[in-house]
Amino acid sequence: MRGAALLLCAVLPATACPLSAPMLQQGEVQADWKVDGAPIAVGRHFAIEVQLCPAGAVLARANATMPEHRHGMNYRPGVKPLGDGRWRVEGLMFHMPGRWELQLDVRAGEHSERLLDTITLP
């Protein structure tokens, strides 16, 4: 269901991040995410849990768009810190099938990064 990340950048030393195989990386930020609860389905709210590295990075915003259709979601998700570099994003909903692009806006120190991943719903 998940596509490959579209972004490639410099790799941090292995000891700098507890993620063994981060799914997303941009600049000095690495991240992985997973659905929290039921699988993603068209027209149903869902939540994800995001793990950021370095742990001091802040998930400032999460969103999703359909690039081919030039629109986003009908809902604005909320972001809650869970501690230890983990974040919960609630209130996501993909209201139609097709290719969605998950966007995670992250701040790490003085730098801001946008991490992208692709999700395709049948």
Side-chain angles (χ1 to χ4, degrees):
M1 187 181 279
R2 290 175 58 180
L6 302 174
L7 305 170
L8 301 172
C9 288
V11 177
L12 291 175
T15 58
C17 185
L19 299 175
S20 59
M23 296 299 293
L24 307 172
Q25 185 169 338
Q26 175 68 25
E28 295 182 0
V29 178
Q30 297 178 7
D32 196 5
W33 67 273
K34 65 179 180 179
V35 176
D36 188 11
I40 299 171
V42 173
R44 285 195 4 222
H45 280 98
F46 67 97
I48 62 172
E49 188 172 308
V50 178
Q51 175 73 51
L52 297 178
C53 193
V58 174
L59 181 58
R61 182 176 159 222
N63 197 11
T65 63
M66 293 191 88
E68 287 83 10
H69 293 266
R70 296 183 179 185
H71 67 74
M73 297 184 300
N74 294 330
Y75 296 90
R76 176 177 280 173
V79 176
K80 296 180 182 179
L82 299 176
D84 296 325
R86 294 179 309 117
W87 299 81
R88 181 176 169 82
V89 179
E90 298 177 331
L92 295 155
M93 184 198 294
F94 298 159
H95 58 275
M96 61 186 294
R99 185 174 81 85
W100 288 85
E101 190 172 84
L102 177 66
Q103 303 169 348
L104 303 175
D105 292 340
V106 179
R107 287 191 315 265
E110 296 180 17
H111 302 285
S112 294
E113 308 288 354
R114 174 166 283 174
L115 306 173
L116 303 173
D117 204 355
T118 299
I119 303 163
T120 302
L121 296 179

mmCIF file of all heavy atoms in Angstrom, residues 21-58:
data_model
loop_
_atom_site.group_PDB
_atom_site.id
_atom_site.type_symbol
_atom_site.label_atom_id
_atom_site.label_comp_id
_atom_site.label_asym_id
_atom_site.label_seq_id
_atom_site.Cartn_x
_atom_site.Cartn_y
_atom_site.Cartn_z
ATOM 1 N N ALA A 21 15.991 1.200 9.486
ATOM 2 C CA ALA A 21 15.777 1.386 8.046
ATOM 3 C C ALA A 21 14.697 2.444 7.856
ATOM 4 O O ALA A 21 13.537 2.122 7.626
ATOM 5 C CB ALA A 21 15.361 0.066 7.399
ATOM 6 N N PRO A 22 15.055 3.732 7.981
ATOM 7 C CA PRO A 22 14.021 4.762 7.852
ATOM 8 C C PRO A 22 13.381 4.735 6.472
ATOM 9 O O PRO A 22 14.052 4.538 5.472
ATOM 10 C CB PRO A 22 14.781 6.063 8.094
ATOM 11 C CG PRO A 22 16.208 5.735 7.833
ATOM 12 C CD PRO A 22 16.381 4.287 8.155
ATOM 13 N N MET A 23 12.078 4.916 6.442
ATOM 14 C CA MET A 23 11.344 4.925 5.182
ATOM 15 C C MET A 23 11.494 6.258 4.458
ATOM 16 O O MET A 23 11.420 6.319 3.254
ATOM 17 C CB MET A 23 9.861 4.652 5.441
ATOM 18 C CG MET A 23 9.577 3.283 6.001
ATOM 19 S SD MET A 23 10.095 1.946 4.910
ATOM 20 C CE MET A 23 8.969 2.162 3.560
ATOM 21 N N LEU A 24 11.666 7.340 5.212
ATOM 22 C CA LEU A 24 11.730 8.675 4.638
ATOM 23 C C LEU A 24 12.972 9.383 5.152
ATOM 24 O O LEU A 24 13.316 9.248 6.316
ATOM 25 C CB LEU A 24 10.499 9.495 5.026
ATOM 26 C CG LEU A 24 9.149 8.869 4.741
ATOM 27 C CD1 LEU A 24 8.042 9.707 5.362
ATOM 28 C CD2 LEU A 24 8.928 8.732 3.261
ATOM 29 N N GLN A 25 13.591 10.169 4.301
ATOM 30 C CA GLN A 25 14.752 10.935 4.721
ATOM 31 C C GLN A 25 14.877 12.194 3.885
ATOM 32 O O GLN A 25 14.663 12.167 2.679
ATOM 33 C CB GLN A 25 16.023 10.107 4.585
ATOM 34 C CG GLN A 25 17.238 10.824 5.119
ATOM 35 C CD GLN A 25 18.436 9.916 5.230
ATOM 36 O OE1 GLN A 25 18.288 8.697 5.300
ATOM 37 N NE2 GLN A 25 19.598 10.496 5.251
ATOM 38 N N GLN A 26 15.174 13.301 4.551
ATOM 39 C CA GLN A 26 15.420 14.573 3.882
ATOM 40 C C GLN A 26 16.393 15.336 4.770
ATOM 41 O O GLN A 26 16.113 15.542 5.941
ATOM 42 C CB GLN A 26 14.127 15.355 3.689
ATOM 43 C CG GLN A 26 14.303 16.738 3.110
ATOM 44 C CD GLN A 26 14.775 16.710 1.673
ATOM 45 O OE1 GLN A 26 14.559 15.760 0.948
ATOM 46 N NE2 GLN A 26 15.462 17.751 1.258
ATOM 47 N N GLY A 27 17.519 15.741 4.232
ATOM 48 C CA GLY A 27 18.510 16.451 5.036
ATOM 49 C C GLY A 27 18.954 15.590 6.194
ATOM 50 O O GLY A 27 19.283 14.419 6.020
ATOM 51 N N GLU A 28 18.919 16.160 7.392
ATOM 52 C CA GLU A 28 19.345 15.421 8.583
ATOM 53 C C GLU A 28 18.206 14.692 9.266
ATOM 54 O O GLU A 28 18.396 14.077 10.302
ATOM 55 C CB GLU A 28 20.016 16.386 9.558
ATOM 56 C CG GLU A 28 21.298 16.982 9.009
ATOM 57 C CD GLU A 28 21.977 17.898 10.000
ATOM 58 O OE1 GLU A 28 21.455 18.079 11.121
ATOM 59 O OE2 GLU A 28 23.032 18.423 9.649
ATOM 60 N N VAL A 29 17.018 14.754 8.716
ATOM 61 C CA VAL A 29 15.846 14.159 9.351
ATOM 62 C C VAL A 29 15.521 12.816 8.709
ATOM 63 O O VAL A 29 15.480 12.693 7.486
ATOM 64 C CB VAL A 29 14.621 15.100 9.248
ATOM 65 C CG1 VAL A 29 13.399 14.449 9.863
ATOM 66 C CG2 VAL A 29 14.914 16.430 9.918
ATOM 67 N N GLN A 30 15.287 11.838 9.557
ATOM 68 C CA GLN A 30 14.833 10.530 9.115
ATOM 69 C C GLN A 30 13.503 10.247 9.804
ATOM 70 O O GLN A 30 13.272 10.707 10.919
ATOM 71 C CB GLN A 30 15.834 9.448 9.501
ATOM 72 C CG GLN A 30 17.183 9.615 8.839
ATOM 73 C CD GLN A 30 18.169 8.554 9.294
ATOM 74 O OE1 GLN A 30 17.822 7.624 9.998
ATOM 75 N NE2 GLN A 30 19.406 8.701 8.877
ATOM 76 N N ALA A 31 12.638 9.489 9.146
ATOM 77 C CA ALA A 31 11.334 9.198 9.732
ATOM 78 C C ALA A 31 10.804 7.870 9.225
ATOM 79 O O ALA A 31 11.168 7.408 8.152
ATOM 80 C CB ALA A 31 10.337 10.300 9.396
ATOM 81 N N ASP A 32 9.954 7.297 10.028
ATOM 82 C CA ASP A 32 9.180 6.137 9.626
ATOM 83 C C ASP A 32 7.767 6.365 10.165
ATOM 84 O O ASP A 32 7.582 7.089 11.144
ATOM 85 C CB ASP A 32 9.770 4.849 10.187
ATOM 86 C CG ASP A 32 9.244 3.616 9.481
ATOM 87 O OD1 ASP A 32 8.492 3.754 8.500
ATOM 88 O OD2 ASP A 32 9.582 2.504 9.910
ATOM 89 N N TRP A 33 6.782 5.772 9.535
ATOM 90 C CA TRP A 33 5.419 5.904 10.007
ATOM 91 C C TRP A 33 4.672 4.613 9.792
ATOM 92 O O TRP A 33 5.048 3.793 8.956
ATOM 93 C CB TRP A 33 4.700 7.077 9.330
ATOM 94 C CG TRP A 33 4.453 6.917 7.859
ATOM 95 C CD1 TRP A 33 5.302 7.251 6.850
ATOM 96 C CD2 TRP A 33 3.302 6.351 7.240
ATOM 97 N NE1 TRP A 33 4.739 6.944 5.633
ATOM 98 C CE2 TRP A 33 3.509 6.400 5.847
ATOM 99 C CE3 TRP A 33 2.105 5.829 7.728
ATOM 100 C CZ2 TRP A 33 2.567 5.936 4.943
ATOM 101 C CZ3 TRP A 33 1.167 5.361 6.816
ATOM 102 C CH2 TRP A 33 1.396 5.424 5.444
ATOM 103 N N LYS A 34 3.615 4.443 10.596
ATOM 104 C CA LYS A 34 2.757 3.270 10.459
ATOM 105 C C LYS A 34 1.338 3.678 10.813
ATOM 106 O O LYS A 34 1.109 4.618 11.576
ATOM 107 C CB LYS A 34 3.228 2.130 11.355
ATOM 108 C CG LYS A 34 3.123 2.438 12.833
ATOM 109 C CD LYS A 34 3.583 1.274 13.684
ATOM 110 C CE LYS A 34 3.456 1.654 15.160
ATOM 111 N NZ LYS A 34 3.848 0.574 16.033
ATOM 112 N N VAL A 35 0.392 2.968 10.243
ATOM 113 C CA VAL A 35 -1.018 3.203 10.547
ATOM 114 C C VAL A 35 -1.280 2.697 11.954
ATOM 115 O O VAL A 35 -0.842 1.610 12.329
ATOM 116 C CB VAL A 35 -1.931 2.493 9.529
ATOM 117 C CG1 VAL A 35 -3.388 2.669 9.899
ATOM 118 C CG2 VAL A 35 -1.664 3.023 8.130
ATOM 119 N N ASP A 36 -1.985 3.488 12.738
ATOM 120 C CA ASP A 36 -2.348 3.106 14.089
ATOM 121 C C ASP A 36 -3.814 2.675 14.081
ATOM 122 O O ASP A 36 -4.706 3.512 14.002
ATOM 123 C CB ASP A 36 -2.136 4.278 15.046
ATOM 124 C CG ASP A 36 -2.325 3.888 16.503
ATOM 125 O OD1 ASP A 36 -2.416 2.681 16.800
ATOM 126 O OD2 ASP A 36 -2.409 4.798 17.342
ATOM 127 N N GLY A 37 -4.050 1.387 14.091
ATOM 128 C CA GLY A 37 -5.418 0.866 14.069
ATOM 129 C C GLY A 37 -5.734 0.193 12.753
ATOM 130 O O GLY A 37 -4.881 -0.420 12.123
ATOM 131 N N ALA A 38 -6.982 0.338 12.315
ATOM 132 C CA ALA A 38 -7.466 -0.322 11.093
ATOM 133 C C ALA A 38 -6.713 0.188 9.871
ATOM 134 O O ALA A 38 -6.247 1.331 9.849
ATOM 135 C CB ALA A 38 -8.955 -0.080 10.929
ATOM 136 N N PRO A 39 -6.587 -0.633 8.837
ATOM 137 C CA PRO A 39 -5.930 -0.192 7.601
ATOM 138 C C PRO A 39 -6.628 1.012 6.974
ATOM 139 O O PRO A 39 -7.815 1.245 7.207
ATOM 140 C CB PRO A 39 -6.040 -1.415 6.672
ATOM 141 C CG PRO A 39 -6.387 -2.559 7.543
ATOM 142 C CD PRO A 39 -7.071 -2.007 8.752
ATOM 143 N N ILE A 40 -5.897 1.746 6.172
ATOM 144 C CA ILE A 40 -6.452 2.912 5.487
ATOM 145 C C ILE A 40 -7.506 2.454 4.483
ATOM 146 O O ILE A 40 -7.264 1.535 3.704
ATOM 147 C CB ILE A 40 -5.343 3.685 4.759
ATOM 148 C CG1 ILE A 40 -4.295 4.182 5.751
ATOM 149 C CG2 ILE A 40 -5.931 4.858 3.976
ATOM 150 C CD1 ILE A 40 -3.055 4.760 5.098
ATOM 151 N N ALA A 41 -8.665 3.095 4.519
ATOM 152 C CA ALA A 41 -9.753 2.795 3.584
ATOM 153 C C ALA A 41 -10.382 4.106 3.138
ATOM 154 O O ALA A 41 -10.428 5.078 3.899
ATOM 155 C CB ALA A 41 -10.797 1.895 4.240
ATOM 156 N N VAL A 42 -10.878 4.149 1.923
ATOM 157 C CA VAL A 42 -11.518 5.349 1.388
ATOM 158 C C VAL A 42 -12.702 5.739 2.274
ATOM 159 O O VAL A 42 -13.515 4.894 2.641
ATOM 160 C CB VAL A 42 -11.986 5.113 -0.065
ATOM 161 C CG1 VAL A 42 -12.801 6.295 -0.577
ATOM 162 C CG2 VAL A 42 -10.801 4.854 -0.970
ATOM 163 N N GLY A 43 -12.762 7.022 2.626
ATOM 164 C CA GLY A 43 -13.888 7.548 3.372
ATOM 165 C C GLY A 43 -13.889 7.247 4.855
ATOM 166 O O GLY A 43 -14.896 7.490 5.524
ATOM 167 N N ARG A 44 -12.783 6.722 5.410
ATOM 168 C CA ARG A 44 -12.712 6.423 6.845
ATOM 169 C C ARG A 44 -11.547 7.174 7.469
ATOM 170 O O ARG A 44 -10.438 7.165 6.931
ATOM 171 C CB ARG A 44 -12.520 4.923 7.082
ATOM 172 C CG ARG A 44 -13.781 4.145 6.842
ATOM 173 C CD ARG A 44 -13.774 2.723 7.395
ATOM 174 N NE ARG A 44 -12.627 2.332 8.142
ATOM 175 C CZ ARG A 44 -12.012 1.157 8.041
ATOM 176 N NH1 ARG A 44 -12.446 0.258 7.190
ATOM 177 N NH2 ARG A 44 -10.968 0.870 8.769
ATOM 178 N N HIS A 45 -11.808 7.818 8.626
ATOM 179 C CA HIS A 45 -10.723 8.471 9.348
ATOM 180 C C HIS A 45 -9.712 7.436 9.813
ATOM 181 O O HIS A 45 -10.079 6.297 10.117
ATOM 182 C CB HIS A 45 -11.264 9.229 10.571
ATOM 183 C CG HIS A 45 -11.846 10.551 10.208
ATOM 184 N ND1 HIS A 45 -13.188 10.736 10.029
ATOM 185 C CD2 HIS A 45 -11.262 11.749 9.987
ATOM 186 C CE1 HIS A 45 -13.417 12.004 9.722
ATOM 187 N NE2 HIS A 45 -12.261 12.640 9.675
ATOM 188 N N PHE A 46 -8.457 7.852 9.848
ATOM 189 C CA PHE A 46 -7.404 6.978 10.369
ATOM 190 C C PHE A 46 -6.340 7.834 11.040
ATOM 191 O O PHE A 46 -6.321 9.061 10.905
ATOM 192 C CB PHE A 46 -6.809 6.088 9.269
ATOM 193 C CG PHE A 46 -6.044 6.826 8.207
ATOM 194 C CD1 PHE A 46 -4.653 6.927 8.272
ATOM 195 C CD2 PHE A 46 -6.693 7.402 7.122
ATOM 196 C CE1 PHE A 46 -3.947 7.588 7.279
ATOM 197 C CE2 PHE A 46 -5.988 8.063 6.128
ATOM 198 C CZ PHE A 46 -4.614 8.162 6.205
ATOM 199 N N ALA A 47 -5.478 7.170 11.792
ATOM 200 C CA ALA A 47 -4.377 7.837 12.485
ATOM 201 C C ALA A 47 -3.081 7.123 12.134
ATOM 202 O O ALA A 47 -3.082 5.939 11.787
ATOM 203 C CB ALA A 47 -4.605 7.807 13.997
ATOM 204 N N ILE A 48 -1.981 7.865 12.206
ATOM 205 C CA ILE A 48 -0.660 7.264 12.011
ATOM 206 C C ILE A 48 0.231 7.640 13.185
ATOM 207 O O ILE A 48 -0.001 8.642 13.866
ATOM 208 C CB ILE A 48 0.000 7.703 10.682
ATOM 209 C CG1 ILE A 48 0.246 9.218 10.644
ATOM 210 C CG2 ILE A 48 -0.806 7.234 9.497
ATOM 211 C CD1 ILE A 48 1.075 9.675 9.442
ATOM 212 N N GLU A 49 1.222 6.804 13.425
ATOM 213 C CA GLU A 49 2.264 7.112 14.385
ATOM 214 C C GLU A 49 3.551 7.317 13.611
ATOM 215 O O GLU A 49 3.896 6.517 12.748
ATOM 216 C CB GLU A 49 2.422 5.987 15.406
ATOM 217 C CG GLU A 49 3.370 6.365 16.516
ATOM 218 C CD GLU A 49 3.405 5.348 17.635
ATOM 219 O OE1 GLU A 49 2.326 4.990 18.153
ATOM 220 O OE2 GLU A 49 4.520 4.920 17.975
ATOM 221 N N VAL A 50 4.230 8.420 13.912
ATOM 222 C CA VAL A 50 5.455 8.804 13.214
ATOM 223 C C VAL A 50 6.612 8.754 14.198
ATOM 224 O O VAL A 50 6.494 9.260 15.313
ATOM 225 C CB VAL A 50 5.323 10.230 12.624
ATOM 226 C CG1 VAL A 50 6.614 10.650 11.929
ATOM 227 C CG2 VAL A 50 4.136 10.309 11.671
ATOM 228 N N GLN A 51 7.718 8.157 13.791
ATOM 229 C CA GLN A 51 8.961 8.165 14.570
ATOM 230 C C GLN A 51 9.954 9.032 13.828
ATOM 231 O O GLN A 51 10.242 8.783 12.646
ATOM 232 C CB GLN A 51 9.526 6.746 14.714
ATOM 233 C CG GLN A 51 10.872 6.679 15.401
ATOM 234 C CD GLN A 51 10.779 6.943 16.896
ATOM 235 O OE1 GLN A 51 9.990 6.330 17.578
ATOM 236 N NE2 GLN A 51 11.594 7.854 17.387
ATOM 237 N N LEU A 52 10.451 10.089 14.482
ATOM 238 C CA LEU A 52 11.420 10.994 13.883
ATOM 239 C C LEU A 52 12.793 10.801 14.479
ATOM 240 O O LEU A 52 12.934 10.430 15.634
ATOM 241 C CB LEU A 52 11.004 12.459 14.100
ATOM 242 C CG LEU A 52 9.708 12.915 13.476
ATOM 243 C CD1 LEU A 52 9.446 14.366 13.851
ATOM 244 C CD2 LEU A 52 9.748 12.756 11.967
ATOM 245 N N CYS A 53 13.776 11.094 13.682
ATOM 246 C CA CYS A 53 15.147 11.050 14.135
ATOM 247 C C CYS A 53 15.881 12.207 13.469
ATOM 248 O O CYS A 53 15.734 12.366 12.255
ATOM 249 C CB CYS A 53 15.761 9.712 13.756
ATOM 250 S SG CYS A 53 17.309 9.430 14.589
ATOM 251 N N PRO A 54 16.568 13.035 14.177
ATOM 252 C CA PRO A 54 16.877 12.919 15.604
ATOM 253 C C PRO A 54 15.623 13.115 16.458
ATOM 254 O O PRO A 54 14.650 13.739 16.032
ATOM 255 C CB PRO A 54 17.884 14.051 15.847
ATOM 256 C CG PRO A 54 17.616 15.045 14.774
ATOM 257 C CD PRO A 54 17.131 14.256 13.589
ATOM 258 N N ALA A 55 15.678 12.579 17.679
ATOM 259 C CA ALA A 55 14.509 12.602 18.565
ATOM 260 C C ALA A 55 14.057 14.014 18.886
ATOM 261 O O ALA A 55 12.896 14.227 19.205
ATOM 262 C CB ALA A 55 14.808 11.832 19.851
ATOM 263 N N GLY A 56 14.935 15.016 18.793
ATOM 264 C CA GLY A 56 14.569 16.395 19.062
ATOM 265 C C GLY A 56 13.823 17.063 17.925
ATOM 266 O O GLY A 56 13.362 18.202 18.058
ATOM 267 N N ALA A 57 13.668 16.380 16.800
ATOM 268 C CA ALA A 57 12.931 16.947 15.660
ATOM 269 C C ALA A 57 11.456 17.091 16.033
ATOM 270 O O ALA A 57 10.917 16.313 16.818
ATOM 271 C CB ALA A 57 13.086 16.056 14.435
ATOM 272 N N VAL A 58 10.816 18.093 15.458
ATOM 273 C CA VAL A 58 9.412 18.396 15.754
ATOM 274 C C VAL A 58 8.572 18.174 14.501
ATOM 275 O O VAL A 58 8.889 18.719 13.438
ATOM 276 C CB VAL A 58 9.278 19.865 16.226
ATOM 277 C CG1 VAL A 58 7.808 20.247 16.386
ATOM 278 C CG2 VAL A 58 10.039 20.079 17.523
#
